């Protein structure tokens, strides 16, 4: 008898394990759940649907009870929900007391489909996507029979052209530690699925006991934004069952998530046309205060591991762990220098500085070549023609017409004598001529009748002749050739040197004195 009881016990254990394994397999395909578990009636899951009831159905449900049923269909399928005819819930105005609330989605803030109570059976309901959220509420008075509802999965009409989806590859990851990175690139890196395959991957993050998990999105982008049927990222708190679904992101923004359990699950769904969707999440495990000795207080009810402080990554909600990290910053190239390297660099810099100083001194002391421009090398054509000053013909005395030219110079002599009397006295009488010879020349000039000869010099040039009288020598005057015509001499001071101006003055005054002497000789 003992052996018989042992055999039966073993068979019962095998059957229980087999049933639990079968239920686990079915749970993978029919990921539906209820909260709180064990207090909200029965739930029967099948591969293509299921059935659930209110507490104590078909007897009266208990008071003060709230149950949430969340149904999830496989990809590219939707949910058809039917209520049994044996249905009765306390009636009230707008169903404010006992009621059933159905929403089109996985959350209590999803779009509402309807709220039902009384004895009238709710109508047939079809979800627009993969989820239905159902809540049953009872107050403290007037209980009734309750309800029984069945559901099945059907093809989503939005994907009828694509046909039935291909079997999804197995894609799960295990993560742990004080921190870590969860990213979608792990799918292709680890060879879980091809880039052309639809994926439904899950990352299980396990924290130490009595710890929680903080998730911070570093990167997030959905290829088909706001199309939750095609791609989304979901976060579960405690398990991967739909009743533990914390957040689901399928739009353009993803917020940080704080999990209260030591197990967190991140799930990514993307069909064949949404594989460019990506995300990158930093997870940090923490404990609530009071903090232990080997932890850091984040000022936001978080105690993280000391190894995460000043590591270049923000692990707290606010960057308390990365502030005041100057002493613990990463070593740079200056920190890696030792005494030997510093000595070599210092000596090299000194040598370079000394060489630069020597080079500067040599350049300063080196003699410079001086270039002198001789007068004969001067090229007047270097100046532009527009700056060339006008040339004035000082005098043109010819031997044959000396008497006629002297007549025209009478007025010049008179002006010349006036200026001479006002100027300084001459050094020697022969430099300027005697008063007697000048008087004789003036008397003779008065006897000669005037001839209609054009004046040699214009009025504007007479001033130049009178200015040139101040200094000359007999030697310079003899250098002029009075037998030939005098050359045209420029009188501008910025073009001629002092020597050239002196020569012009000597030639002019000397020629006048010589003609005066010749005239006196002729008269005698």
């Amino acid at each position: 008898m003992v052996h018989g009881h042992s055999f039966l016990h073993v068979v019962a254990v095998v059957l229980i394990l087999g049933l639990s394994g079968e239920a686990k397999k079915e749970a993978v395909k029919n990921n539906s759940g209820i909260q709180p578990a064990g207090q909200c009636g029965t739930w029967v899951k099948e591969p293509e649907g299921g059935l659930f009831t209110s507490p104590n159905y078909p007897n009266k449900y208990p008071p003060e009870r709230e149950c949430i049923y969340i149904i999830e269909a496989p990809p590219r399928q939707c949910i058809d929900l039917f209520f049994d005819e044996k249905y009765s819930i306390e009636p009230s105005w707008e169903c404010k007391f006992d009621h059933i609330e159905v929403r089109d989605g996985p959350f209590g803030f999803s779009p509402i489909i309807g709220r039902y109570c009384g004895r009238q059976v709710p109508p047939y309901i079809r979800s627009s996507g993969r989820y239905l959220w159902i809540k049953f509420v009872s107050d403290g008075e007037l209980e009734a029979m309750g309800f029984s509802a069945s559901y099945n999965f059907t093809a989503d009409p939005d994907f009828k052209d694509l046909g039935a989806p291909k079997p999804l590859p197995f894609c799960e990851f295990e993560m742990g530690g004080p921190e870590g990175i969860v990213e979608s690139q792990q799918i292709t890196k680890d060879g879980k699925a091809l880039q052309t395959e639809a994926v439904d991957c899950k990352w299980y993050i396990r924290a130490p006991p009595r710890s929680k998990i903080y998730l911070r999105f570093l990167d997030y982008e959905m290829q088909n934004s706001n199309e939750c049927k095609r791609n989304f990222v979901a976060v579960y708190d405690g398990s991967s069952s739909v009743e533990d679904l914390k957040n689901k992101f399928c739009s353009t923004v993803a917020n940080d998530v704080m999990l209260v359990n030591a197990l967190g699950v991140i799930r990514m769904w993307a069909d064949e046309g949404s594989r460019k969707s990506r995300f990158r999440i930093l997870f940090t495990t923490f404990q609530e205060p009071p903090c232990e000795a080997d932890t850091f207080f984040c000022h936001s009810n978080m105690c993280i591991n000391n190894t995460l402080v000043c590591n270049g990554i923000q692990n707290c909600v606010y960057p308390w762990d990365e502030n005041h990290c100057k002493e613990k910053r990463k070593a740079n190239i200056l920190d890696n220098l030792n005494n030997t390297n510093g000595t070599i660099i210092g000596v090299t810099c000194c040598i370079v500085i000394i060489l630069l100083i020597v080079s500067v001194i040599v350049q300063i002391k080196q003699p410079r070549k001086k270039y002198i421009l001789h007068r004969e090398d001067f090229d007047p054509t270097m100046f532009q023609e527009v700056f060339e000053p006008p040339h004035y013909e000082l005098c043109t005395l010819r031997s044959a017409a000396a008497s006629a030219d002297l007549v025209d110079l009478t007025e010049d002599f008179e002006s010349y004598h006036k200026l001479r009397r006002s100027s300084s006295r001459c050094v020697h009488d022969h430099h300027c001529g005697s008063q007697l010879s000048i008087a004789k020349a003036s008397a003779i000039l008065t006897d000669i009748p005037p001839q209609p000869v054009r004046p040699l010099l214009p009025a504007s040039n007479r001033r130049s002749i009178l200015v040139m009288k101040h200094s000359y020598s007999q030697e310079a005057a003899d250098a002029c050739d009075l037998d030939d015509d005098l050359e045209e001499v420029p009188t501008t001071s910025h073009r001629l040197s002092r020597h050239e101006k002196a020569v012009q003055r000597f030639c002019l005054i000397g020629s006048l004195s010589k003609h005066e002497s010749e005239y006196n000789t002729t008269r005698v």
Side-chain angles (χ1 to χ4, degrees), residues 45 84 149 171-172 213 248 328 337 373 412 457 466 473:
K45 295 182 180 180
D84 193 272
C171 183
E172 290 184 359
I213 303 172
K248 189 177 75 169
K328 298 183 179 181
L337 294 178
L373 182 63
D412 293 337
L457 296 176
L466 297 176
S473 64

Side-chain angles (χ1 to χ4, degrees), residues 430-432 472-480 506 509-510 513-514:
H430 75 274
H431 289 169
C432 300
Y472 71 96
S473 64
Q474 186 65 32
E475 183 181 20
D478 295 338
C480 298
F506 300 158
I509 305 302
S513 300
K514 187 174 182 179

Side-chain angles (χ1 to χ4, degrees), residues 7-300:
F7 178 76
L8 292 175
H9 179 71
V10 171
V11 172
V13 170
V14 172
L15 289 175
I16 292 172
L17 291 175
L19 291 174
S20 62
E22 185 68 24
K24 184 176 182 180
K25 291 181 181 178
E26 292 179 358
V28 172
K29 190 171 183 179
N30 185 357
N31 188 28
S32 303
I34 187 174
Q35 291 179 343
Q39 302 179 18
C40 294
T42 59
W43 189 303
V44 179
K45 295 182 180 180
E46 297 178 357
E48 300 299 332
L51 181 145
F52 61 94
T53 65
S54 59
N56 298 331
Y57 182 84
N59 298 323
K60 292 183 178 181
Y61 50 80
E64 303 291 342
R65 187 64 57 91
E66 178 176 312
C67 299
I68 297 176
Y69 310 87
I70 303 175
I71 305 173
E72 180 183 3
R76 295 182 183 174
Q77 292 188 357
C78 55
I79 304 167
D80 291 334
L81 180 64
F82 305 90
F83 285 90
D84 193 272
E85 293 182 356
K86 295 180 179 181
Y87 169 87
S88 177
I89 295 177
E90 176 191 358
S92 61
W93 174 253
E94 295 183 350
C95 298
K96 290 184 178 181
F97 303 116
D98 297 356
H99 63 271
I100 297 175
E101 183 177 298
V102 181
R103 291 181 177 269
D104 189 11
F107 301 107
F109 53 83
S110 299
I112 187 170
I113 295 177
R115 178 179 288 189
Y116 311 99
C117 61
R119 295 181 179 275
Q120 185 177 357
V121 179
Y124 153 75
I125 297 173
R126 168 171 283 191
S127 66
S128 62
R130 296 174 56 182
Y131 297 93
L132 275 180
W133 185 87
I134 302 117
K135 182 176 72 171
F136 169 72
V137 177
S138 64
D139 58 10
E141 298 178 356
L142 301 177
E143 293 78 20
M145 179 190 303
F147 69 92
S148 175
S150 62
Y151 62 94
N152 57 65
F153 305 133
T154 183
D156 193 333
D158 293 342
F159 298 96
K160 61 181 180 180
D161 297 335
L162 300 178
K166 297 179 181 179
L168 299 175
F170 179 78
C171 183
E172 290 184 359
F173 302 89
E174 293 287 338
M175 310 289 291
E179 70 168 357
I181 297 293
V182 178
E183 56 184 349
S184 55
Q185 294 183 357
Q186 293 177 268
I187 300 173
T188 54
K189 286 181 179 179
D190 295 354
K192 297 292 185 178
L194 299 177
Q195 191 64 31
T196 57
E197 292 181 311
V199 293
D200 190 2
C201 298
K202 296 177 182 178
W203 287 262
Y204 292 88
I205 304 172
R206 304 185 186 277
R210 299 182 295 105
S211 297
K212 300 180 180 182
I213 303 172
Y214 169 58
L215 302 176
R216 186 163 68 92
F217 279 84
L218 304 178
D219 185 24
Y220 168 82
E221 182 179 359
M222 294 289 102
Q223 182 176 355
N224 295 287
S225 180
N226 296 319
E227 296 187 31
C228 298
K229 295 181 180 180
R230 304 193 60 183
N231 49 192
F232 66 80
V233 175
V235 178
Y236 298 81
D237 188 4
S239 71
S240 60
S241 299
V242 67
E243 62 268 19
D244 292 326
L245 181 62
K246 182 80 172 181
N247 294 94
K248 189 177 75 169
F249 306 102
C250 59
S251 60
T252 57
V253 180
N255 302 321
D256 297 349
V257 181
M258 193 75 70
L259 305 181
V260 298
N261 293 292
L263 174 62
V265 182
I266 300 175
R267 179 183 180 185
M268 177 182 180
W269 158 253
D271 61 10
E272 297 88 340
S274 305
R275 285 303 307 277
K276 291 184 179 180
S277 300
R278 69 178 189 273
F279 74 92
R280 192 166 182 261
I281 300 175
L282 170 68
F283 73 85
T284 304
T285 61
F286 68 95
Q287 294 180 352
E288 292 184 346
C291 299
E292 299 178 358
D294 59 343
T295 59
F296 175 81
F297 181 56
C298 283
H299 298 275
S300 55

Side-chain angles (χ1 to χ4, degrees), residues 477-490:
D478 295 338
C480 298
D481 187 6
L482 298 177
D483 295 334
D484 300 329
D485 297 340
L486 294 179
E487 296 179 353
E488 296 181 359
V489 182

Side-chain angles (χ1 to χ4, degrees), residues 442-454:
S442 301
I444 294 171
L445 290 174
T446 54
D447 297 336
I448 300 174
Q451 298 179 4
V453 180
R454 183 180 55 87

